[in-house]
Amino acid sequence: MIVVNGLCKTFDKTPVLRGIDEHIHQGEKVVIIGPSGSGKSTFLRCLNLLETPTSGTILIEGEDITAPGANVDKIRQKMGMVFQQFNLFPHLNVLDNITLSPVKTGKNTKEEARDIAFSLLKRVGLEEKAGSFPGQLSGGQKQRIAIIRALAMSPDVMLFDEPTSALDPEMVGEVLQVMKDLAEAGMTMVVVTHEMGFAREVASRVLFMDEGLIAEQGEPDEFFKNPKNERTRSFLSRVGI
Amino acid sequence: MVQWIIGKWDAFSHDVYLNFIKESRYLLILDGLKTTILLSITAILFGIVLGGLATLLRRSKYGFLRAIGYTYVDVIRGTPSMMQLLVINFVVFASVNVDLFVVGTVAFGLNSGAYISEIFRAGILSIDKGQTEAGRSLGLSSSQTMTYIILPQAIKNILPALANEFIMLIKETAIVGYIAMRDLTKAGDIIRSLTYDAYMPLLAVALLYYLLVKILTLGIEWLERYLRASDMR
């Protein structure tokens, strides 16, 4: 579904990604971990071109999104993204946050988008917040809204960029629960996170990134029990596993 | 004492009569005020259009368009508005017969547009990059993201600064006397030359400018309170 070949990204001559080859299949839940500065967020942001790769190719469902003339807007509609800082639109209420993109991109009519929004709100237990503004919500509520805002575009894959890192500890659980439900529903997911428990429980594959490369990967059981790479071992022991 | 007050009062009312009532001179002031207000309004509207265009140019993905926008702002900001007015009147429109009001609108609109483009740019930059990223990641185009997400938020930062620019512009128009337009300042000056009394007409003109600006300032303060209140929700 996503095929990455030789992906490099350089910021002002500082290499952040140094040649990543990766194949993510439909239905996989890939969790990316690694020390800060290892390039995991940059890798994720390259997947929907929020960062422009310096070199390498990314194929999404067979389409090369790095090719000049690729319809980036169209491709992004198939890829949901959830940010660390939620990035809800503060001038729009919750319902309008969710329906803006489906309506403006012509995917749904206003009525359809509204119905979809309410069924998604019900799914995360926030239907009574439809008329609220983002400023009136807690961090956990904001992130749950941000997730269903992305889902309203019916994406084929969901990208999560440290979705719980900006949350108060007591709100992490509610967001992770929504993500677990999503995983169970069969969504293809790529998640950058520091939540090792989530990685262990939900991931079908764990990638460990270090210095711009995927240093090690494996199924979570094997990965956490028998890390082979020295750097993986020291990272895991530092985060307490 | 009473005699002194009566004497002063007589002198004062004579001055008022001489400067404003005699030969309906107050009409000069009223006409001037009208010109100042109308010129400021047409110039700010023209300036907003130009400022918007310049902002678009400066955000273009094409280098030469960015250069045009940048040069416009750079040249206007780097030269006195008085020079610009004279150049527009005596060079650009030298051989064309157009209404002075048009000349003034073009000159002050061009001037204001450069500053307004800076105001627009700052307003857009004040919105967190995450908002653009969220919009684009949802599949919206860059112009849709600008229209539905960035501008509605940026406007809160833009409006007070824009209103401020309008106030500056009103006072700036006082130099149109140099191209023989009869604005408020020129009206006061004409009366001064007729009556040889500087005190009354100039003070009256200053007072009118002040009142004009004061009314606008109160309007801006109300606007800012209103915009802040809508932030609270």
Side-chain angles (χ1 to χ4, degrees):
Chain A
M1 175 175 208
I2 303 178
V3 182
V4 179
N5 277 316
L7 177 63
C8 292
K9 175 69 185 175
T10 307
F11 287 114
D12 291 332
K13 293 179 185 161
T14 312
V16 178
L17 299 177
R18 300 186 298 151
I20 292 189
D21 301 303
E22 185 51 45
H23 197 157
I24 295 165
H25 299 272
Q26 178 121 30
E28 267 199 306
K29 292 99 185 65
V30 175
V31 172
I32 305 171
I33 61 171
S36 56
S38 58
K40 39 191 204 310
S41 280
T42 305
F43 173 54
L44 194 74
R45 291 163 57 83
C46 278
L47 293 183
N48 69 350
L49 295 189
L50 286 184
E51 303 290 351
T52 313
T54 310
S55 63
T57 59
I58 301 168
L59 304 181
I60 308 284
E61 290 166 349
E63 201 170 341
D64 184 356
I65 64 169
T66 50
N71 189 341
V72 178
D73 294 338
K74 205 84 200 153
I75 294 159
R76 281 188 181 130
Q77 290 170 21
K78 292 278 127 203
M79 310 178 80
M81 175 116 184
V82 175
F83 301 87
Q84 184 176 351
Q85 299 298 339
F86 328 127
N87 293 343
L88 292 183
F89 308 132
H91 62 299
L92 299 177
N93 68 23
V94 165
L95 186 64
D96 291 338
N97 259 277
I98 301 169
T99 59
L100 178 71
S101 189
V103 173
K104 296 302 176 193
T105 56
K107 176 180 166 290
N108 298 118
T109 65
K110 259 192 171 134
E111 290 71 30
E112 286 168 358
R114 213 183 133 85
D115 291 345
I116 293 168
F118 270 107
S119 71
L120 286 167
L121 281 166
K122 200 169 283 178
R123 223 165 110 184
V124 295
L126 288 173
E127 64 258 61
E128 80 279 10
K129 297 290 184 192
S132 302
F133 282 85
Q136 299 165 324
L137 304 175
S138 73
Q141 290 171 335
K142 280 184 201 168
Q143 196 60 303
R144 284 188 280 161
I145 300 293
I147 292 172
I148 61 172
R149 179 177 70 178
L151 288 176
M153 289 301 290
S154 331
D156 296 336
V157 54
M158 285 284 285
L159 312 175
F160 293 84
D161 190 3
E162 304 200 21
T164 57
S165 297
L167 293 174
D168 290 337
E170 76 266 27
M171 290 169 185
V172 170
E174 62 191 71
V175 171
L176 290 181
Q177 190 55 50
V178 171
M179 292 168 65
K180 279 175 201 166
D181 294 345
L182 196 55
E184 267 162 37
M187 176 63 74
T188 311
M189 292 163 70
V190 184
V191 184
V192 171
T193 187
H194 295 291
E195 294 290 332
M196 296 303 148
F198 178 83
R200 208 186 281 236
E201 202 178 325
V202 179
S204 52
R205 196 146 58 91
V206 178
L207 305 184
F208 174 73
M209 282 189 66
D210 189 50
E211 293 184 350
L213 289 168
I214 295 170
E216 179 169 1
Q217 60 168 297
E219 291 183 12
D221 281 348
E222 179 65 14
F223 178 89
F224 285 109
K225 244 177 259 162
N226 288 316
K228 291 176 185 60
N229 186 303
E230 179 52 41
R231 285 183 174 279
T232 316
R233 273 201 289 273
S234 83
F235 173 75
L236 289 177
S237 72
R238 259 183 289 142
V239 296
I241 289 177
Chain B
M1 179 66 188
V2 175
Q3 211 61 39
W4 183 79
I5 292 176
I6 291 173
K8 280 285 170 198
W9 174 253
D10 280 348
F12 176 76
S13 49
H14 173 260
D15 281 353
V16 168
Y17 173 78
L18 178 68
N19 283 296
F20 304 124
I21 315 290
K22 193 180 174 199
E23 292 169 5
S24 296
R25 282 172 189 156
Y26 69 95
L27 285 178
L28 280 171
I29 300 265
L30 281 186
D31 279 347
L33 182 64
K34 199 174 107 191
T35 301
T36 292
I37 292 175
L38 286 180
L39 180 62
S40 303
I41 290 173
T42 54
I44 197 86
L45 291 178
F46 186 44
I48 287 171
V49 173
L50 281 178
L53 278 174
T55 310
L56 277 181
L57 288 177
R58 293 177 75 185
R59 298 179 57 83
S60 165
K61 57 182 168 182
Y62 302 108
F64 75 99
L65 290 181
R66 282 202 304 276
I68 293 173
Y70 178 83
T71 308
Y72 162 57
V73 175
D74 195 46
V75 168
I76 295 293
R77 288 208 302 183
T79 52
S81 46
M82 177 76 158
M83 280 304 302
Q84 293 160 16
L85 179 69
L86 294 177
V87 167
I88 297 287
N89 190 49
F90 296 115
V91 180
V92 178
F93 287 124
S95 51
V96 221
N97 190 16
V98 289
D99 195 285
L100 278 178
F101 193 83
V102 175
V103 178
T105 300
V106 170
F108 288 107
L110 268 174
N111 179 271
S112 224
Y115 294 96
I116 289 172
S117 137
E118 284 293 284
I119 291 170
F120 284 169
R121 205 170 64 95
I124 289 166
L125 287 178
S126 71
I127 305 303
D128 184 62
K129 199 164 153 268
Q131 292 288 310
T132 307
E133 290 185 349
R136 299 306 304 277
S137 80
L138 286 164
L140 295 173
S141 68
S142 75
S143 64
Q144 284 174 325
T145 304
M146 189 49 80
T147 310
Y148 302 115
I149 297 168
I150 307 303
L151 286 183
Q153 298 182 62
I155 204 89
K156 287 187 185 183
N157 301 324
I158 288 172
L159 272 183
L162 197 56
N164 198 44
E165 171 63 26
F166 187 44
I167 287 178
M168 308 260 286
L169 182 63
I170 289 173
K171 293 179 290 175
E172 193 89 324
T173 58
I175 60 174
V176 288
Y178 279 91
I179 61 165
M181 270 184 87
R182 289 192 177 184
D183 73 320
L184 187 52
T185 302
K186 188 70 181 178
D189 206 37
I190 291 171
I191 294 175
R192 183 185 60 77
S193 64
L194 289 172
T195 61
Y196 301 107
D197 177 11
Y199 180 77
M200 274 279 159
L202 295 187
L203 223 64
V205 163
L207 187 68
L208 282 173
Y209 274 114
Y210 178 80
L211 287 177
L212 203 54
V213 170
K214 190 70 196 174
I215 291 167
L216 270 169
T217 308
L218 290 173
I220 298 173
E221 281 169 5
W222 176 85
L223 183 70
E224 284 185 16
R225 267 200 308 279
Y226 173 80
L227 291 177
R228 257 205 302 279
S230 70
D231 272 346
M232 295 304 181
R233 61 190 184 188

